Amino acid sequence: MKQIDQWVRPNIRQLKPYSSARNEFSGEASVWLDANESPFNAPYNRYPDPLQTTLKNRLARQRGVRPDQIFLGVGSDEAIDLLYRIFCEPGKNNAVSIVPTYGMYKVCADINGVEYREVPLHDDFSLDVEALEAAVDSDSRLLFLCSPNNPTGNAFPAGEIERLITAFDGIVVVDEAYIDFSSHPSWLRRLDEFPNLVVLQTFSKAWGSAGVRLGMAFASPSVIGYYNKVKYPYNISAPVQRYALDLLDREGEVRSWVDEILTVRALFIERLEELPVVVKIYPTDANFVLVRMDNAPAIYEWLVAEGIVVRNRSSVALCGNCLRITVGAAGEMDILMEALRRYSQSVKL
Ligand code: PMP
């Protein structure tokens, strides 16, 4: 049995967290004089619920987990950063991940003074499980696996992820930011089996809410307890909590957005295949497509000149000459395709 406490930094294990007014009293009252708030400008005058109880109860029902298995952060980026602060002693512990992958795992390691070990994917973007296992040592505390992976778009086989969760003596983070676009099932179904598993999800992608900054970490109550200990007391604002509750009531609408994006994605891929400047379209489980092109930097510049911004990933490991293109609205993809056709024409002449 994996014991979470043994991997926690001693200062965090011993930490006496800040106790806010709303931690100490959370019942019903008619006169609130405990938090030095203003009596004016309701409802914004009041501090939000520090543990977001109503929202977590609603989310727990929707995702089939328990409220004590949820941490809510200012984007999943907050959930990533806090994992370093909970588990990694600067200059001593290390984190292991794949490359290419989402950039914030490394940035947060660098901010926290934690060694970050990058294990390249195979050329077809599959996991090198043996190399990951070889990169781990007794000071490794975090292993990041982004699935579906950004920027490659592919999801990793469950059997390989399970092998790593079982073998690793530390926290395995499966970042599922793009899971709603994937045919692979979420690891949330298996949360109870693995006390060292942290699943990240976000409202920023399928849920259409990147602007509100709301991310989720799902994990064993022990890990969530440490998250709650180190987070800022009122990290999720009251308007964001209310907004998310309303959005969860619109789940059907969100599903229809995802369906639409998947339809547009399929059509976009078909049309891309016809373009002579396209060298390879990588399979995708996400709301973006990684495309290897003939001279991606030139195409990137051409698109920018047309007012179209995609992500040039040419300088990223294994992604030479690749553009990462988000699947937008059908009309936006029409505009992009038109510009790409014009570029193809221009290089042919
Ligand atoms: N994980 C992955 C894989 C991402 O691609 C992103 C955003 N691009 C994030 C996490 C961060 O999401 P959030 O907006 O919730 O901070």
Side-chain angles (χ1 to χ4, degrees), residues 20 22-23 37 43-53 231 233-242:
S20 67
R22 293 295 137 80
N23 274 128
E37 297 153 331
Y44 302 104
N45 57 337
R46 299 295 173 199
Y47 282 104
D49 173 1
L51 291 173
Q52 310 100 20
T53 311
K231 79 183 188 70
Y234 302 109
N235 60 331
I236 308 298
S237 73
V240 168
Q241 292 186 44
R242 265 193 298 275

mmCIF file with all atom_site columns, all heavy atoms in Angstrom, residues 20 22-23 37 43-53 231 233-242:
data_model
loop_
_atom_site.group_PDB
_atom_site.id
_atom_site.type_symbol
_atom_site.label_atom_id
_atom_site.label_alt_id
_atom_site.label_comp_id
_atom_site.label_asym_id
_atom_site.label_entity_id
_atom_site.label_seq_id
_atom_site.pdbx_PDB_ins_code
_atom_site.Cartn_x
_atom_site.Cartn_y
_atom_site.Cartn_z
_atom_site.occupancy
_atom_site.B_iso_or_equiv
_atom_site.pdbx_formal_charge
_atom_site.auth_seq_id
_atom_site.auth_comp_id
_atom_site.auth_asym_id
_atom_site.auth_atom_id
_atom_site.pdbx_PDB_model_num
ATOM 1   N N   . SER A 1 20  ? -9.113  30.673 8.164   1.00 0.00 ? 20  SER A N   1
ATOM 2   C CA  . SER A 1 20  ? -9.850  31.890 7.831   1.00 0.00 ? 20  SER A CA  1
ATOM 3   C C   . SER A 1 20  ? -11.128 31.967 8.661   1.00 0.00 ? 20  SER A C   1
ATOM 4   O O   . SER A 1 20  ? -11.564 30.971 9.249   1.00 0.00 ? 20  SER A O   1
ATOM 5   C CB  . SER A 1 20  ? -10.193 31.896 6.350   1.00 0.00 ? 20  SER A CB  1
ATOM 6   O OG  . SER A 1 20  ? -11.128 30.869 6.084   1.00 0.00 ? 20  SER A OG  1
ATOM 7   N N   . ARG A 1 22  ? -14.041 32.103 7.585   1.00 0.00 ? 22  ARG A N   1
ATOM 8   C CA  . ARG A 1 22  ? -15.076 31.207 7.029   1.00 0.00 ? 22  ARG A CA  1
ATOM 9   C C   . ARG A 1 22  ? -14.713 29.726 7.176   1.00 0.00 ? 22  ARG A C   1
ATOM 10  O O   . ARG A 1 22  ? -15.529 28.862 6.899   1.00 0.00 ? 22  ARG A O   1
ATOM 11  C CB  . ARG A 1 22  ? -15.353 31.559 5.560   1.00 0.00 ? 22  ARG A CB  1
ATOM 12  C CG  . ARG A 1 22  ? -15.989 32.910 5.389   1.00 0.00 ? 22  ARG A CG  1
ATOM 13  C CD  . ARG A 1 22  ? -17.401 32.977 6.020   1.00 0.00 ? 22  ARG A CD  1
ATOM 14  N NE  . ARG A 1 22  ? -17.612 34.212 6.753   1.00 0.00 ? 22  ARG A NE  1
ATOM 15  C CZ  . ARG A 1 22  ? -17.925 35.375 6.210   1.00 0.00 ? 22  ARG A CZ  1
ATOM 16  N NH1 . ARG A 1 22  ? -18.099 35.471 4.921   1.00 0.00 ? 22  ARG A NH1 1
ATOM 17  N NH2 . ARG A 1 22  ? -18.077 36.442 6.953   1.00 0.00 ? 22  ARG A NH2 1
ATOM 18  N N   . ASN A 1 23  ? -13.471 29.443 7.610   1.00 0.00 ? 23  ASN A N   1
ATOM 19  C CA  . ASN A 1 23  ? -13.133 28.075 7.998   1.00 0.00 ? 23  ASN A CA  1
ATOM 20  C C   . ASN A 1 23  ? -13.684 27.781 9.380   1.00 0.00 ? 23  ASN A C   1
ATOM 21  O O   . ASN A 1 23  ? -14.169 26.697 9.674   1.00 0.00 ? 23  ASN A O   1
ATOM 22  C CB  . ASN A 1 23  ? -11.617 27.882 8.088   1.00 0.00 ? 23  ASN A CB  1
ATOM 23  C CG  . ASN A 1 23  ? -10.997 27.520 6.765   1.00 0.00 ? 23  ASN A CG  1
ATOM 24  O OD1 . ASN A 1 23  ? -10.055 28.159 6.353   1.00 0.00 ? 23  ASN A OD1 1
ATOM 25  N ND2 . ASN A 1 23  ? -11.539 26.507 6.116   1.00 0.00 ? 23  ASN A ND2 1
ATOM 26  N N   . GLU A 1 37  ? -15.510 42.290 6.584   1.00 0.00 ? 37  GLU A N   1
ATOM 27  C CA  . GLU A 1 37  ? -16.041 42.613 5.264   1.00 0.00 ? 37  GLU A CA  1
ATOM 28  C C   . GLU A 1 37  ? -16.847 43.914 5.356   1.00 0.00 ? 37  GLU A C   1
ATOM 29  O O   . GLU A 1 37  ? -17.174 44.395 6.437   1.00 0.00 ? 37  GLU A O   1
ATOM 30  C CB  . GLU A 1 37  ? -16.980 41.492 4.780   1.00 0.00 ? 37  GLU A CB  1
ATOM 31  C CG  . GLU A 1 37  ? -16.300 40.146 4.591   1.00 0.00 ? 37  GLU A CG  1
ATOM 32  C CD  . GLU A 1 37  ? -17.250 38.967 4.768   1.00 0.00 ? 37  GLU A CD  1
ATOM 33  O OE1 . GLU A 1 37  ? -18.235 39.095 5.532   1.00 0.00 ? 37  GLU A OE1 1
ATOM 34  O OE2 . GLU A 1 37  ? -17.001 37.924 4.164   1.00 0.00 ? 37  GLU A OE2 1
ATOM 35  N N   . PRO A 1 43  ? -23.720 40.811 -3.696  1.00 0.00 ? 43  PRO A N   1
ATOM 36  C CA  . PRO A 1 43  ? -23.145 39.741 -2.876  1.00 0.00 ? 43  PRO A CA  1
ATOM 37  C C   . PRO A 1 43  ? -21.620 39.746 -2.871  1.00 0.00 ? 43  PRO A C   1
ATOM 38  O O   . PRO A 1 43  ? -21.006 38.888 -2.255  1.00 0.00 ? 43  PRO A O   1
ATOM 39  C CB  . PRO A 1 43  ? -23.655 38.487 -3.589  1.00 0.00 ? 43  PRO A CB  1
ATOM 40  C CG  . PRO A 1 43  ? -23.656 38.868 -5.035  1.00 0.00 ? 43  PRO A CG  1
ATOM 41  C CD  . PRO A 1 43  ? -24.025 40.336 -5.071  1.00 0.00 ? 43  PRO A CD  1
ATOM 42  N N   . TYR A 1 44  ? -21.026 40.760 -3.544  1.00 0.00 ? 44  TYR A N   1
ATOM 43  C CA  . TYR A 1 44  ? -19.563 40.708 -3.710  1.00 0.00 ? 44  TYR A CA  1
ATOM 44  C C   . TYR A 1 44  ? -18.808 41.072 -2.434  1.00 0.00 ? 44  TYR A C   1
ATOM 45  O O   . TYR A 1 44  ? -17.596 40.914 -2.356  1.00 0.00 ? 44  TYR A O   1
ATOM 46  C CB  . TYR A 1 44  ? -19.132 41.621 -4.862  1.00 0.00 ? 44  TYR A CB  1
ATOM 47  C CG  . TYR A 1 44  ? -19.789 41.236 -6.155  1.00 0.00 ? 44  TYR A CG  1
ATOM 48  C CD1 . TYR A 1 44  ? -20.857 41.981 -6.666  1.00 0.00 ? 44  TYR A CD1 1
ATOM 49  C CD2 . TYR A 1 44  ? -19.393 40.095 -6.828  1.00 0.00 ? 44  TYR A CD2 1
ATOM 50  C CE1 . TYR A 1 44  ? -21.483 41.595 -7.832  1.00 0.00 ? 44  TYR A CE1 1
ATOM 51  C CE2 . TYR A 1 44  ? -20.028 39.705 -7.994  1.00 0.00 ? 44  TYR A CE2 1
ATOM 52  C CZ  . TYR A 1 44  ? -21.075 40.463 -8.492  1.00 0.00 ? 44  TYR A CZ  1
ATOM 53  O OH  . TYR A 1 44  ? -21.690 40.065 -9.644  1.00 0.00 ? 44  TYR A OH  1
ATOM 54  N N   . ASN A 1 45  ? -19.549 41.602 -1.430  1.00 0.00 ? 45  ASN A N   1
ATOM 55  C CA  . ASN A 1 45  ? -18.887 42.012 -0.186  1.00 0.00 ? 45  ASN A CA  1
ATOM 56  C C   . ASN A 1 45  ? -18.393 40.825 0.638   1.00 0.00 ? 45  ASN A C   1
ATOM 57  O O   . ASN A 1 45  ? -17.516 40.981 1.475   1.00 0.00 ? 45  ASN A O   1
ATOM 58  C CB  . ASN A 1 45  ? -19.839 42.875 0.666   1.00 0.00 ? 45  ASN A CB  1
ATOM 59  C CG  . ASN A 1 45  ? -21.133 42.155 0.987   1.00 0.00 ? 45  ASN A CG  1
ATOM 60  O OD1 . ASN A 1 45  ? -21.544 41.236 0.283   1.00 0.00 ? 45  ASN A OD1 1
ATOM 61  N ND2 . ASN A 1 45  ? -21.784 42.555 2.075   1.00 0.00 ? 45  ASN A ND2 1
ATOM 62  N N   . ARG A 1 46  ? -18.941 39.632 0.386   1.00 0.00 ? 46  ARG A N   1
ATOM 63  C CA  . ARG A 1 46  ? -18.613 38.473 1.225   1.00 0.00 ? 46  ARG A CA  1
ATOM 64  C C   . ARG A 1 46  ? -17.500 37.620 0.629   1.00 0.00 ? 46  ARG A C   1
ATOM 65  O O   . ARG A 1 46  ? -17.458 37.409 -0.581  1.00 0.00 ? 46  ARG A O   1
ATOM 66  C CB  . ARG A 1 46  ? -19.866 37.584 1.396   1.00 0.00 ? 46  ARG A CB  1
ATOM 67  C CG  . ARG A 1 46  ? -21.042 38.265 2.061   1.00 0.00 ? 46  ARG A CG  1
ATOM 68  C CD  . ARG A 1 46  ? -20.741 38.630 3.495   1.00 0.00 ? 46  ARG A CD  1
ATOM 69  N NE  . ARG A 1 46  ? -21.828 39.429 4.075   1.00 0.00 ? 46  ARG A NE  1
ATOM 70  C CZ  . ARG A 1 46  ? -21.690 40.180 5.165   1.00 0.00 ? 46  ARG A CZ  1
ATOM 71  N NH1 . ARG A 1 46  ? -20.519 40.248 5.798   1.00 0.00 ? 46  ARG A NH1 1
ATOM 72  N NH2 . ARG A 1 46  ? -22.700 40.878 5.633   1.00 0.00 ? 46  ARG A NH2 1
ATOM 73  N N   . TYR A 1 47  ? -16.625 37.116 1.507   1.00 0.00 ? 47  TYR A N   1
ATOM 74  C CA  . TYR A 1 47  ? -15.633 36.137 1.053   1.00 0.00 ? 47  TYR A CA  1
ATOM 75  C C   . TYR A 1 47  ? -16.346 34.884 0.563   1.00 0.00 ? 47  TYR A C   1
ATOM 76  O O   . TYR A 1 47  ? -17.398 34.511 1.089   1.00 0.00 ? 47  TYR A O   1
ATOM 77  C CB  . TYR A 1 47  ? -14.691 35.754 2.203   1.00 0.00 ? 47  TYR A CB  1
ATOM 78  C CG  . TYR A 1 47  ? -13.630 36.792 2.470   1.00 0.00 ? 47  TYR A CG  1
ATOM 79  C CD1 . TYR A 1 47  ? -13.730 37.651 3.557   1.00 0.00 ? 47  TYR A CD1 1
ATOM 80  C CD2 . TYR A 1 47  ? -12.530 36.912 1.630   1.00 0.00 ? 47  TYR A CD2 1
ATOM 81  C CE1 . TYR A 1 47  ? -12.753 38.604 3.811   1.00 0.00 ? 47  TYR A CE1 1
ATOM 82  C CE2 . TYR A 1 47  ? -11.549 37.859 1.869   1.00 0.00 ? 47  TYR A CE2 1
ATOM 83  C CZ  . TYR A 1 47  ? -11.663 38.710 2.958   1.00 0.00 ? 47  TYR A CZ  1
ATOM 84  O OH  . TYR A 1 47  ? -10.704 39.651 3.187   1.00 0.00 ? 47  TYR A OH  1
ATOM 85  N N   . PRO A 1 48  ? -15.753 34.222 -0.437  1.00 0.00 ? 48  PRO A N   1
ATOM 86  C CA  . PRO A 1 48  ? -16.369 32.986 -0.927  1.00 0.00 ? 48  PRO A CA  1
ATOM 87  C C   . PRO A 1 48  ? -16.115 31.818 0.025   1.00 0.00 ? 48  PRO A C   1
ATOM 88  O O   . PRO A 1 48  ? -15.229 31.899 0.886   1.00 0.00 ? 48  PRO A O   1
ATOM 89  C CB  . PRO A 1 48  ? -15.663 32.752 -2.260  1.00 0.00 ? 48  PRO A CB  1
ATOM 90  C CG  . PRO A 1 48  ? -14.322 33.373 -2.098  1.00 0.00 ? 48  PRO A CG  1
ATOM 91  C CD  . PRO A 1 48  ? -14.506 34.555 -1.175  1.00 0.00 ? 48  PRO A CD  1
ATOM 92  N N   . ASP A 1 49  ? -16.864 30.740 -0.171  1.00 0.00 ? 49  ASP A N   1
ATOM 93  C CA  . ASP A 1 49  ? -16.624 29.503 0.571   1.00 0.00 ? 49  ASP A CA  1
ATOM 94  C C   . ASP A 1 49  ? -15.212 29.006 0.238   1.00 0.00 ? 49  ASP A C   1
ATOM 95  O O   . ASP A 1 49  ? -14.923 28.698 -0.923  1.00 0.00 ? 49  ASP A O   1
ATOM 96  C CB  . ASP A 1 49  ? -17.680 28.472 0.153   1.00 0.00 ? 49  ASP A CB  1
ATOM 97  C CG  . ASP A 1 49  ? -17.427 27.090 0.749   1.00 0.00 ? 49  ASP A CG  1
ATOM 98  O OD1 . ASP A 1 49  ? -16.440 26.926 1.504   1.00 0.00 ? 49  ASP A OD1 1
ATOM 99  O OD2 . ASP A 1 49  ? -18.213 26.168 0.438   1.00 0.00 ? 49  ASP A OD2 1
ATOM 100 N N   . PRO A 1 50  ? -14.305 28.925 1.234   1.00 0.00 ? 50  PRO A N   1
ATOM 101 C CA  . PRO A 1 50  ? -12.914 28.532 0.924   1.00 0.00 ? 50  PRO A CA  1
ATOM 102 C C   . PRO A 1 50  ? -12.802 27.118 0.364   1.00 0.00 ? 50  PRO A C   1
ATOM 103 O O   . PRO A 1 50  ? -11.855 26.821 -0.368  1.00 0.00 ? 50  PRO A O   1
ATOM 104 C CB  . PRO A 1 50  ? -12.191 28.645 2.272   1.00 0.00 ? 50  PRO A CB  1
ATOM 105 C CG  . PRO A 1 50  ? -13.245 28.728 3.322   1.00 0.00 ? 50  PRO A CG  1
ATOM 106 C CD  . PRO A 1 50  ? -14.510 29.202 2.659   1.00 0.00 ? 50  PRO A CD  1
ATOM 107 N N   . LEU A 1 51  ? -13.737 26.246 0.711   1.00 0.00 ? 51  LEU A N   1
ATOM 108 C CA  . LEU A 1 51  ? -13.651 24.861 0.226   1.00 0.00 ? 51  LEU A CA  1
ATOM 109 C C   . LEU A 1 51  ? -14.675 24.551 -0.869  1.00 0.00 ? 51  LEU A C   1
ATOM 110 O O   . LEU A 1 51  ? -14.827 23.405 -1.283  1.00 0.00 ? 51  LEU A O   1
ATOM 111 C CB  . LEU A 1 51  ? -13.785 23.874 1.397   1.00 0.00 ? 51  LEU A CB  1
ATOM 112 C CG  . LEU A 1 51  ? -12.577 23.890 2.346   1.00 0.00 ? 51  LEU A CG  1
ATOM 113 C CD1 . LEU A 1 51  ? -12.824 23.026 3.576   1.00 0.00 ? 51  LEU A CD1 1
ATOM 114 C CD2 . LEU A 1 51  ? -11.298 23.437 1.632   1.00 0.00 ? 51  LEU A CD2 1
ATOM 115 N N   . GLN A 1 52  ? -15.379 25.560 -1.339  1.00 0.00 ? 52  GLN A N   1
ATOM 116 C CA  . GLN A 1 52  ? -16.311 25.427 -2.482  1.00 0.00 ? 52  GLN A CA  1
ATOM 117 C C   . GLN A 1 52  ? -17.250 24.219 -2.337  1.00 0.00 ? 52  GLN A C   1
ATOM 118 O O   . GLN A 1 52  ? -17.392 23.399 -3.258  1.00 0.00 ? 52  GLN A O   1
ATOM 119 C CB  . GLN A 1 52  ? -15.512 25.302 -3.800  1.00 0.00 ? 52  GLN A CB  1
ATOM 120 C CG  . GLN A 1 52  ? -14.446 26.352 -4.014  1.00 0.00 ? 52  GLN A CG  1
ATOM 121 C CD  . GLN A 1 52  ? -13.038 25.877 -3.676  1.00 0.00 ? 52  GLN A CD  1
ATOM 122 O OE1 . GLN A 1 52  ? -12.768 24.682 -3.621  1.00 0.00 ? 52  GLN A OE1 1
ATOM 123 N NE2 . GLN A 1 52  ? -12.128 26.808 -3.436  1.00 0.00 ? 52  GLN A NE2 1
ATOM 124 N N   . THR A 1 53  ? -17.868 24.117 -1.159  1.00 0.00 ? 53  THR A N   1
ATOM 125 C CA  . THR A 1 53  ? -18.624 22.904 -0.818  1.00 0.00 ? 53  THR A CA  1
ATOM 126 C C   . THR A 1 53  ? -19.765 22.618 -1.798  1.00 0.00 ? 53  THR A C   1
ATOM 127 O O   . THR A 1 53  ? -19.912 21.479 -2.263  1.00 0.00 ? 53  THR A O   1
ATOM 128 C CB  . THR A 1 53  ? -19.190 23.031 0.607   1.00 0.00 ? 53  THR A CB  1
ATOM 129 O OG1 . THR A 1 53  ? -18.105 23.442 1.451   1.00 0.00 ? 53  THR A OG1 1
ATOM 130 C CG2 . THR A 1 53  ? -19.754 21.728 1.119   1.00 0.00 ? 53  THR A CG2 1
ATOM 131 N N   . LYS A 1 231 ? -3.160  25.660 -0.339  1.00 0.00 ? 231 LYS A N   1
ATOM 132 C CA  . LYS A 1 231 ? -3.751  26.609 -1.293  1.00 0.00 ? 231 LYS A CA  1
ATOM 133 C C   . LYS A 1 231 ? -4.020  27.954 -0.617  1.00 0.00 ? 231 LYS A C   1
ATOM 134 O O   . LYS A 1 231 ? -4.097  28.036 0.604   1.00 0.00 ? 231 LYS A O   1
ATOM 135 C CB  . LYS A 1 231 ? -5.063  26.035 -1.857  1.00 0.00 ? 231 LYS A CB  1
ATOM 136 C CG  . LYS A 1 231 ? -6.257  26.170 -0.905  1.00 0.00 ? 231 LYS A CG  1
ATOM 137 C CD  . LYS A 1 231 ? -7.489  25.522 -1.468  1.00 0.00 ? 231 LYS A CD  1
ATOM 138 C CE  . LYS A 1 231 ? -8.717  25.824 -0.618  1.00 0.00 ? 231 LYS A CE  1
ATOM 139 N NZ  . LYS A 1 231 ? -9.163  27.225 -0.699  1.00 0.00 ? 231 LYS A NZ  1
ATOM 140 N N   . PRO A 1 233 ? -6.302  30.727 0.818   1.00 0.00 ? 233 PRO A N   1
ATOM 141 C CA  . PRO A 1 233 ? -7.582  30.434 1.488   1.00 0.00 ? 233 PRO A CA  1
ATOM 142 C C   . PRO A 1 233 ? -8.816  30.577 0.589   1.00 0.00 ? 233 PRO A C   1
ATOM 143 O O   . PRO A 1 233 ? -9.688  29.724 0.594   1.00 0.00 ? 233 PRO A O   1
ATOM 144 C CB  . PRO A 1 233 ? -7.620  31.447 2.622   1.00 0.00 ? 233 PRO A CB  1
ATOM 145 C CG  . PRO A 1 233 ? -6.183  31.760 2.902   1.00 0.00 ? 233 PRO A CG  1
ATOM 146 C CD  . PRO A 1 233 ? -5.470  31.656 1.580   1.00 0.00 ? 233 PRO A CD  1
ATOM 147 N N   . TYR A 1 234 ? -8.873  31.643 -0.192  1.00 0.00 ? 234 TYR A N   1
ATOM 148 C CA  . TYR A 1 234 ? -10.084 31.890 -1.008  1.00 0.00 ? 234 TYR A CA  1
ATOM 149 C C   . TYR A 1 234 ? -9.723  31.854 -2.481  1.00 0.00 ? 234 TYR A C   1
ATOM 150 O O   . TYR A 1 234 ? -9.980  32.801 -3.219  1.00 0.00 ? 234 TYR A O   1
ATOM 151 C CB  . TYR A 1 234 ? -10.680 33.249 -0.652  1.00 0.00 ? 234 TYR A CB  1
ATOM 152 C CG  . TYR A 1 234 ? -11.053 33.408 0.805   1.00 0.00 ? 234 TYR A CG  1
ATOM 153 C CD1 . TYR A 1 234 ? -10.328 34.243 1.645   1.00 0.00 ? 234 TYR A CD1 1
ATOM 154 C CD2 . TYR A 1 234 ? -12.139 32.716 1.335   1.00 0.00 ? 234 TYR A CD2 1
ATOM 155 C CE1 . TYR A 1 234 ? -10.679 34.396 2.982   1.00 0.00 ? 234 TYR A CE1 1
ATOM 156 C CE2 . TYR A 1 234 ? -12.504 32.860 2.668   1.00 0.00 ? 234 TYR A CE2 1
ATOM 157 C CZ  . TYR A 1 234 ? -11.763 33.700 3.483   1.00 0.00 ? 234 TYR A CZ  1
ATOM 158 O OH  . TYR A 1 234 ? -12.130 33.844 4.794   1.00 0.00 ? 234 TYR A OH  1
ATOM 159 N N   . ASN A 1 235 ? -9.110  30.758 -2.938  1.00 0.00 ? 235 ASN A N   1
ATOM 160 C CA  . ASN A 1 235 ? -8.545  30.764 -4.296  1.00 0.00 ? 235 ASN A CA  1
ATOM 161 C C   . ASN A 1 235 ? -9.597  30.863 -5.403  1.00 0.00 ? 235 ASN A C   1
ATOM 162 O O   . ASN A 1 235 ? -9.324  31.416 -6.459  1.00 0.00 ? 235 ASN A O   1
ATOM 163 C CB  . ASN A 1 235 ? -7.616  29.554 -4.517  1.00 0.00 ? 235 ASN A CB  1
ATOM 164 C CG  . ASN A 1 235 ? -8.304  28.208 -4.362  1.00 0.00 ? 235 ASN A CG  1
ATOM 165 O OD1 . ASN A 1 235 ? -9.274  28.083 -3.605  1.00 0.00 ? 235 ASN A OD1 1
ATOM 166 N ND2 . ASN A 1 235 ? -7.828  27.199 -5.051  1.00 0.00 ? 235 ASN A ND2 1
ATOM 167 N N   . ILE A 1 236 ? -10.800 30.335 -5.177  1.00 0.00 ? 236 ILE A N   1
ATOM 168 C CA  . ILE A 1 236 ? -11.832 30.389 -6.231  1.00 0.00 ? 236 ILE A CA  1
ATOM 169 C C   . ILE A 1 236 ? -12.877 31.441 -5.837  1.00 0.00 ? 236 ILE A C   1
ATOM 170 O O   . ILE A 1 236 ? -13.565 31.303 -4.822  1.00 0.00 ? 236 ILE A O   1
ATOM 171 C CB  . ILE A 1 236 ? -12.521 29.015 -6.414  1.00 0.00 ? 236 ILE A CB  1
ATOM 172 C CG1 . ILE A 1 236 ? -11.474 27.894 -6.622  1.00 0.00 ? 236 ILE A CG1 1
ATOM 173 C CG2 . ILE A 1 236 ? -13.502 29.068 -7.593  1.00 0.00 ? 236 ILE A CG2 1
ATOM 174 C CD1 . ILE A 1 236 ? -10.613 28.026 -7.847  1.00 0.00 ? 236 ILE A CD1 1
ATOM 175 N N   . SER A 1 237 ? -13.008 32.480 -6.647  1.00 0.00 ? 237 SER A N   1
ATOM 176 C CA  . SER A 1 237 ? -13.886 33.596 -6.297  1.00 0.00 ? 237 SER A CA  1
ATOM 177 C C   . SER A 1 237 ? -15.355 33.173 -6.301  1.00 0.00 ? 237 SER A C   1
ATOM 178 O O   . SER A 1 237 ? -15.734 32.187 -6.953  1.00 0.00 ? 237 SER A O   1
ATOM 179 C CB  . SER A 1 237 ? -13.683 34.757 -7.271  1.00 0.00 ? 237 SER A CB  1
ATOM 180 O OG  . SER A 1 237 ? -14.265 34.437 -8.513  1.00 0.00 ? 237 SER A OG  1
ATOM 181 N N   . ALA A 1 238 ? -16.177 33.948 -5.599  1.00 0.00 ? 238 ALA A N   1
ATOM 182 C CA  . ALA A 1 238 ? -17.608 33.638 -5.526  1.00 0.00 ? 238 ALA A CA  1
ATOM 183 C C   . ALA A 1 238 ? -18.269 33.677 -6.909  1.00 0.00 ? 238 ALA A C   1
ATOM 184 O O   . ALA A 1 238 ? -19.037 32.765 -7.244  1.00 0.00 ? 238 ALA A O   1
ATOM 185 C CB  . ALA A 1 238 ? -18.293 34.600 -4.549  1.00 0.00 ? 238 ALA A CB  1
ATOM 186 N N   . PRO A 1 239 ? -18.001 34.689 -7.759  1.00 0.00 ? 239 PRO A N   1
ATOM 187 C CA  . PRO A 1 239 ? -18.622 34.675 -9.091  1.00 0.00 ? 239 PRO A CA  1
ATOM 188 C C   . PRO A 1 239 ? -18.238 33.438 -9.902  1.00 0.00 ? 239 PRO A C   1
ATOM 189 O O   . PRO A 1 239 ? -19.066 32.891 -10.627 1.00 0.00 ? 239 PRO A O   1
ATOM 190 C CB  . PRO A 1 239 ? -18.086 35.951 -9.765  1.00 0.00 ? 239 PRO A CB  1
ATOM 191 C CG  . PRO A 1 239 ? -17.705 36.849 -8.644  1.00 0.00 ? 239 PRO A CG  1
ATOM 192 C CD  . PRO A 1 239 ? -17.259 35.955 -7.527  1.00 0.00 ? 239 PRO A CD  1
ATOM 193 N N   . VAL A 1 240 ? -17.001 32.983 -9.781  1.00 0.00 ? 240 VAL A N   1
ATOM 194 C CA  . VAL A 1 240 ? -16.585 31.790 -10.530 1.00 0.00 ? 240 VAL A CA  1
ATOM 195 C C   . VAL A 1 240 ? -17.304 30.551 -9.995  1.00 0.00 ? 240 VAL A C   1
ATOM 196 O O   . VAL A 1 240 ? -17.742 29.694 -10.758 1.00 0.00 ? 240 VAL A O   1
ATOM 197 C CB  . VAL A 1 240 ? -15.045 31.611 -10.482 1.00 0.00 ? 240 VAL A CB  1
ATOM 198 C CG1 . VAL A 1 240 ? -14.629 30.241 -10.983 1.00 0.00 ? 240 VAL A CG1 1
ATOM 199 C CG2 . VAL A 1 240 ? -14.370 32.697 -11.314 1.00 0.00 ? 240 VAL A CG2 1
ATOM 200 N N   . GLN A 1 241 ? -17.450 30.449 -8.672  1.00 0.00 ? 241 GLN A N   1
ATOM 201 C CA  . GLN A 1 241 ? -18.173 29.295 -8.113  1.00 0.00 ? 241 GLN A CA  1
ATOM 202 C C   . GLN A 1 241 ? -19.625 29.276 -8.618  1.00 0.00 ? 241 GLN A C   1
ATOM 203 O O   . GLN A 1 241 ? -20.151 28.232 -8.997  1.00 0.00 ? 241 GLN A O   1
ATOM 204 C CB  . GLN A 1 241 ? -18.139 29.328 -6.580  1.00 0.00 ? 241 GLN A CB  1
ATOM 205 C CG  . GLN A 1 241 ? -16.739 29.087 -6.018  1.00 0.00 ? 241 GLN A CG  1
ATOM 206 C CD  . GLN A 1 241 ? -16.712 28.963 -4.495  1.00 0.00 ? 241 GLN A CD  1
ATOM 207 O OE1 . GLN A 1 241 ? -17.544 28.301 -3.893  1.00 0.00 ? 241 GLN A OE1 1
ATOM 208 N NE2 . GLN A 1 241 ? -15.739 29.605 -3.874  1.00 0.00 ? 241 GLN A NE2 1
ATOM 209 N N   . ARG A 1 242 ? -20.260 30.450 -8.614  1.00 0.00 ? 242 ARG A N   1
ATOM 210 C CA  . ARG A 1 242 ? -21.654 30.525 -9.084  1.00 0.00 ? 242 ARG A CA  1
ATOM 211 C C   . ARG A 1 242 ? -21.736 30.186 -10.569 1.00 0.00 ? 242 ARG A C   1
ATOM 212 O O   . ARG A 1 242 ? -22.613 29.456 -11.027 1.00 0.00 ? 242 ARG A O   1
ATOM 213 C CB  . ARG A 1 242 ? -22.224 31.932 -8.846  1.00 0.00 ? 242 ARG A CB  1
ATOM 214 C CG  . ARG A 1 242 ? -22.996 32.055 -7.528  1.00 0.00 ? 242 ARG A CG  1
ATOM 215 C CD  . ARG A 1 242 ? -23.800 33.340 -7.486  1.00 0.00 ? 242 ARG A CD  1
ATOM 216 N NE  . ARG A 1 242 ? -22.922 34.509 -7.567  1.00 0.00 ? 242 ARG A NE  1
ATOM 217 C CZ  . ARG A 1 242 ? -22.312 35.062 -6.506  1.00 0.00 ? 242 ARG A CZ  1
ATOM 218 N NH1 . ARG A 1 242 ? -22.503 34.562 -5.302  1.00 0.00 ? 242 ARG A NH1 1
ATOM 219 N NH2 . ARG A 1 242 ? -21.521 36.098 -6.653  1.00 0.00 ? 242 ARG A NH2 1
#
